[in-house]
Amino acid sequence: MTTTGADLPRLRELNSLSIVRALRNHPPSTVTELSRRTGLSRPAVDVIAQGLVTDGWASVLEPGASSAVGRPARRYQFRAGAGHVLGVDVGVHKILALLADLDGDIVHSVRHAVDAQAGPAERLAELDEVVSACLTGAGKTPTDIWAVTVAVTGAVDSSGRTSFFTPLPGWKSVDLAAHLSVRFDCPIVVENDCKLAALAERWKGAASDADDIVYLLAGMRTGAGLIIDGVLRRGFGGAAGEIGALPHVRWLKAPGHLQNCPGVPETVGPDDAAAWVFNAAREGHKAARSAVSRYVKDLAVGAAALVLTLDPQVVVFGGGFSRSADLVLDPLRREIERLCLRMPEVRASTLGADSVALGALKLSLNEVDQRLFSAGLSAPVAPRRT
Amino acid sequence: MTTTGADLPRLRELNSLSIVRALRNHPPSTVTELSRRTGLSRPAVDVIAQGLVTDGWASVLEPGASSAVGRPARRYQFRAGAGHVLGVDVGVHKILALLADLDGDIVHSVRHAVDAQAGPAERLAELDEVVSACLTGAGKTPTDIWAVTVAVTGAVDSSGRTSFFTPLPGWKSVDLAAHLSVRFDCPIVVENDCKLAALAERWKGAASDADDIVYLLAGMRTGAGLIIDGVLRRGFGGAAGEIGALPHVRWLKAPGHLQNCPGVPETVGPDDAAAWVFNAAREGHKAARSAVSRYVKDLAVGAAALVLTLDPQVVVFGGGFSRSADLVLDPLRREIERLCLRMPEVRASTLGADSVALGALKLSLNEVDQRLFSAGLSAPVAPRRT
């Protein structure tokens, strides 16, 4: 290959990109290390790395006084603050937005309660407000954001809508990505809440050591997210993990045992009944203990269907009810063991109800890295929709 | 890198290996094409290719008279007859062995009936006889065989045994690989019958166009094999696809509707009752039609559990009962559609009961290719256990 004068700027851009890649996901590196990793000459790396510092892609670590042997070298590191990502959970009762840098460190978060009966217009307006507040709180504008992922309840089809089913009133035809694209010109992804929670538990939660994970999102609704061979299972049409829709495996009626438990005071609303029952069971309330026991037995049938189908390494008990893992985990283990051929580990979520928004953040980070490492990119640039 | 005299034989072997790889899974190729594919010089390719022909790895296609422009070049092709593989199905009622060349073309097959109640010693003796007859019939010896895969009923654990469960009497502790290793020193794999049948349907059956497949092995027992993103799902401990063990999804009782159908003549044995019922239903027998209908309803519950969990592209109805797909497919589709969120395609197996042995053959071929293309190999050699 001969290089003409006109090719030179492009070649410099390509070399910048390979240095960015050599910095990303590595500890701070010297010019010598970067030269070895990229195959570029040390002088070329030196010039390009300084350019990347100027452009905000990299920062410099000057050698400390402690490195006393010889002349210590300065190190370059990927600047996590070069860009930011958003992860948003649009739930039945709340909207939670997390804004993080490219290391996934959270810079700002905003949480608003939403009326479970709110229609699409009201919920979208609330979403816009939460996102605005999150950007403002972090001192960012939409152009600072490199990827947005929004979690919704219900399987997300190929058009980004929850057309199969969603408990959010009037939400089936909502095109969230189109709505957000007015404000953001970065990649926007819409994904199912259970799937994202599973991703979060593998990222920095209860299953960070596992590649085969069944995640249970347990609350007043029960859902599942599946990670198979390290990859989030979306399904051919986006509807994987929806075992709960099959009446035979009892997830549809499982939370009813808690909601309809005898003895729940009239002052306790339907949304708080389960929490009251778990607390009462913990204090020895007989009907409450029996309700929890029946809840776990039904939860275990659907869990067993997933375990028998996939034979995972780990089952993670997550979602709002995971606050009561102390009451659920042991009987859940016993029931799964009774119903299944090979027993997986059963662990409690360590992220709780925030796992959904954290998973959305992780998918945004994946989206950024995928674009940064895609063969098509000709220079280091912030991701934009094409 | 400098090359000393002592390195030369090894270098020649490595180059032979790269030519073998450049021939495998390609149409017949000229020296020029092989040179381009491997980066070796044309004279080097010429010498090595002739050596591979001498060693039996390649054959020569002399240019036909039709290629009249210029001096037409000879072409080399991978010799499918360089090695052979075995695929064996050790079933409840039969043992079937298939012997094929490296293109998967079947050279010889032997099928023996076995008593369903036969103990391990009797069944292993029968297996040995079937394998011997297959080798003899093909004019081969054990050293001609490069990989053996044996299918068994029941999930296969990491030790190659069906320790979780198997309907074969006394078979749980049988170490088939150890038994066969006395005769074969090539790689030996033991795998579950449903998983292998799924592999076969994707290889050359009803789902060759799909990457996400739920395969149903329907007979007097019902099982499942899963292919996810193009990869056979074994499970963390080998027990994926065993949804049938969960009573709630009704596979345990589904075939009973056929076996206990009123009107089956006393002269028809329990193993043939289902076939009688399907035939009678086809001829309008009322009780038989009702039995088939109840069978399909129960089959659909387990199928729906798999579909809701995985959201596959295709469900393949296979196994012995797939001979009656004309009666099963439409009502099965209706039931799955009623129970699931997104409807997959439902297709009848095109391989029928031979799919298990064919899948075993395919896994043997995969094993050979994996070794041929593994980075560890230093020369083209027939696979041997390490």
Side-chain angles (χ1 to χ4, degrees):
Chain A
M1 194 180 84
T2 57
T3 305
T4 69
D7 286 335
L8 276 174
R10 180 166 150 73
L11 192 61
R12 199 180 315 134
E13 287 190 329
L14 280 170
N15 289 341
S16 295
L17 186 61
S18 65
I19 300 281
V20 166
R21 287 171 184 163
L23 289 169
R24 182 80 173 136
N25 303 323
H26 280 100
S29 309
T30 62
V31 166
T32 307
E33 287 163 345
L34 291 171
S35 164
R36 203 181 311 128
R37 220 173 279 153
T38 58
L40 298 171
S41 72
R42 292 186 71 260
V45 169
D46 213 10
V47 170
I48 294 169
Q50 286 175 37
L52 289 173
V53 171
T54 308
D55 293 346
W57 283 91
S59 55
V60 181
L61 292 182
E62 294 297 346
S66 61
S67 40
V69 185
R71 183 174 145 233
R74 48 163 43 180
R75 291 170 184 273
Y76 292 91
Q77 67 180 354
F78 185 81
R79 213 181 125 249
H84 289 80
V85 296
L86 269 174
V88 188
D89 175 9
V90 176
V92 177
H93 297 283
K94 70 152 192 286
I95 294 176
L96 168 61
L98 306 176
L99 193 151
D101 66 18
L102 298 181
D103 279 349
D105 288 331
I106 293 170
V107 175
H108 199 74
S109 72
V110 173
R111 181 189 313 251
H112 282 194
V114 194
D115 182 358
Q117 298 310 317
E122 196 181 333
R123 205 175 293 270
L124 287 172
E126 198 65 45
L127 167 66
D128 289 343
E129 236 180 76
V130 170
V131 166
S132 294
C134 199
L135 287 170
T136 308
K140 301 290 168 195
T141 66
T143 52
D144 296 323
I145 304 301
W146 288 11
V148 178
T149 300
V150 189
V152 291
T153 303
V156 175
D157 68 19
S158 56
S159 81
R161 297 179 177 87
T162 49
S163 61
F164 303 115
F165 167 84
T166 173
L168 299 184
W171 196 259
K172 269 189 163 190
S173 59
V174 169
D175 187 344
L176 251 180
H179 176 82
L180 289 165
S181 70
V182 176
R183 199 182 329 188
F184 295 97
D185 65 351
C186 63
I188 301 167
V189 180
V190 181
E191 187 50 282
N192 167 261
D193 52 1
C194 305
K195 293 185 178 73
L196 292 171
L199 211 56
E201 293 290 349
R202 182 159 186 266
W203 180 33
K204 46 170 72 181
S208 57
D209 58 336
D211 281 339
D212 288 306
I213 305 163
V214 163
Y215 171 85
L216 309 177
L217 190 84
M220 285 316 292
R221 291 178 38 77
T222 316
L226 313 172
I227 290 179
I228 300 175
D229 280 340
V231 178
L232 178 66
R233 174 70 189 168
R234 291 206 74 247
F236 187 72
E242 296 292 327
I243 184 77
L246 189 69
H248 307 73
V249 303
R250 300 197 183 163
W251 280 6
L252 291 172
K253 72 188 189 67
H257 295 300
L258 304 172
Q259 203 159 20
N260 306 318
C261 172
V264 179
E266 276 179 34
T267 50
V268 174
D271 288 340
D272 301 319
W276 186 93
V277 173
F278 280 123
N279 276 333
R282 210 171 271 116
E283 288 160 15
H285 188 289
K286 209 173 157 184
R289 290 171 63 103
S290 158
V292 169
S293 166
R294 271 174 289 158
Y295 166 73
V296 173
K297 277 211 162 87
D298 282 353
L299 178 70
V301 177
L306 295 171
V307 169
L308 283 165
T309 299
L310 292 169
D311 187 21
Q313 179 185 356
V314 178
V315 173
V316 176
F317 175 65
F321 289 0
S322 66
R323 278 190 297 269
S324 301
D326 59 315
L327 294 172
V328 172
L329 231 51
D330 280 339
L332 180 61
R333 279 196 194 102
R334 278 198 299 276
E335 283 298 304
I336 291 178
E337 181 134 42
R338 194 173 66 79
L339 294 168
C340 294
L341 294 185
R342 200 194 64 79
M343 186 63 191
E345 293 173 61
V346 181
R347 303 178 187 167
S349 158
T350 55
L351 304 173
D354 286 357
S355 59
V356 176
L358 279 169
L361 212 54
K362 175 59 176 160
L363 204 62
S364 287
L365 291 170
N366 288 356
E367 184 72 27
V368 168
D369 272 351
Q370 197 184 310
R371 287 175 183 246
L372 214 50
F373 288 90
S374 83
L377 217 60
S378 62
V381 287
R384 292 289 167 247
R385 283 199 308 279
T386 46
Chain B
M1 193 180 84
T2 57
T3 306
T4 68
D7 286 335
L8 276 175
R10 179 166 151 71
L11 192 60
R12 199 180 314 134
E13 287 189 329
L14 280 171
N15 288 342
S16 297
L17 185 62
S18 65
I19 300 281
V20 165
R21 288 173 184 162
L23 290 170
R24 182 80 172 136
N25 303 323
H26 281 100
S29 310
T30 62
V31 165
T32 307
E33 287 164 344
L34 291 170
S35 164
R36 202 181 313 129
R37 220 173 279 154
T38 58
L40 298 171
S41 72
R42 292 186 73 260
V45 170
D46 213 8
V47 170
I48 294 170
Q50 287 176 38
L52 289 172
V53 171
T54 309
D55 294 347
W57 284 91
S59 55
V60 180
L61 291 183
E62 294 298 345
S66 61
S67 39
V69 185
R71 185 174 142 233
R74 47 163 44 180
R75 289 167 186 274
Y76 292 91
Q77 68 180 354
F78 185 80
R79 212 181 127 251
H84 289 80
V85 296
L86 269 174
V88 188
D89 175 11
V90 176
V92 178
H93 297 284
K94 69 152 193 286
I95 294 176
L96 167 62
L98 305 177
L99 193 153
D101 66 18
L102 297 181
D103 279 348
D105 288 332
I106 293 169
V107 176
H108 200 73
S109 73
V110 173
R111 182 190 312 251
H112 282 193
V114 193
D115 181 358
Q117 298 310 315
E122 197 181 331
R123 204 175 293 270
L124 287 172
E126 198 65 43
L127 167 66
D128 290 342
E129 238 179 74
V130 169
V131 167
S132 294
C134 199
L135 287 171
T136 308
K140 301 291 168 195
T141 65
T143 52
D144 295 323
I145 304 301
W146 288 12
V148 178
T149 301
V150 189
V152 291
T153 304
V156 175
D157 67 19
S158 56
S159 81
R161 297 178 178 85
T162 49
S163 61
F164 303 116
F165 166 83
T166 173
L168 299 182
W171 196 260
K172 269 189 163 187
S173 60
V174 169
D175 187 343
L176 251 181
H179 177 81
L180 288 165
S181 70
V182 175
R183 201 184 326 189
F184 294 97
D185 65 352
C186 63
I188 300 168
V189 180
V190 181
E191 188 49 284
N192 168 261
D193 52 2
C194 305
K195 294 186 178 71
L196 292 171
L199 211 56
E201 293 290 350
R202 181 160 187 265
W203 181 32
K204 47 170 72 183
S208 58
D209 58 335
D211 281 340
D212 287 308
I213 305 162
V214 163
Y215 171 86
L216 309 177
L217 190 84
M220 286 314 295
R221 290 178 40 77
T222 317
L226 313 172
I227 290 179
I228 300 174
D229 281 339
V231 178
L232 177 67
R233 174 70 189 168
R234 291 206 76 248
F236 187 71
E242 297 291 326
I243 184 79
L246 189 70
H248 307 73
V249 303
R250 302 196 184 163
W251 280 5
L252 292 171
K253 72 187 190 68
H257 296 299
L258 304 172
Q259 204 160 18
N260 305 319
C261 173
V264 179
E266 277 180 30
T267 50
V268 174
D271 288 340
D272 301 319
W276 185 92
V277 172
F278 281 122
N279 276 333
R282 210 171 272 117
E283 287 159 15
H285 187 290
K286 208 173 159 186
R289 290 171 64 101
S290 157
V292 169
S293 167
R294 270 174 290 157
Y295 166 73
V296 173
K297 279 212 162 88
D298 281 355
L299 178 70
V301 177
L306 295 171
V307 169
L308 283 165
T309 299
L310 293 168
D311 186 22
Q313 178 184 358
V314 178
V315 173
V316 177
F317 175 65
F321 289 1
S322 66
R323 277 189 297 270
S324 301
D326 58 316
L327 295 172
V328 172
L329 232 50
D330 280 340
L332 180 61
R333 278 195 194 103
R334 278 198 299 275
E335 284 297 305
I336 291 178
E337 181 134 42
R338 193 172 68 79
L339 294 168
C340 293
L341 293 186
R342 198 194 66 79
M343 185 63 191
E345 293 172 61
V346 180
R347 304 178 187 167
S349 158
T350 55
L351 304 172
D354 286 358
S355 59
V356 176
L358 278 169
L361 212 54
K362 175 59 175 160
L363 203 62
S364 288
L365 291 170
N366 288 356
E367 184 72 28
V368 169
D369 272 352
Q370 198 183 310
R371 287 175 184 248
L372 213 52
F373 289 90
S374 83
L377 216 58
S378 61
V381 287
R384 293 288 166 245
R385 286 197 307 278
T386 45

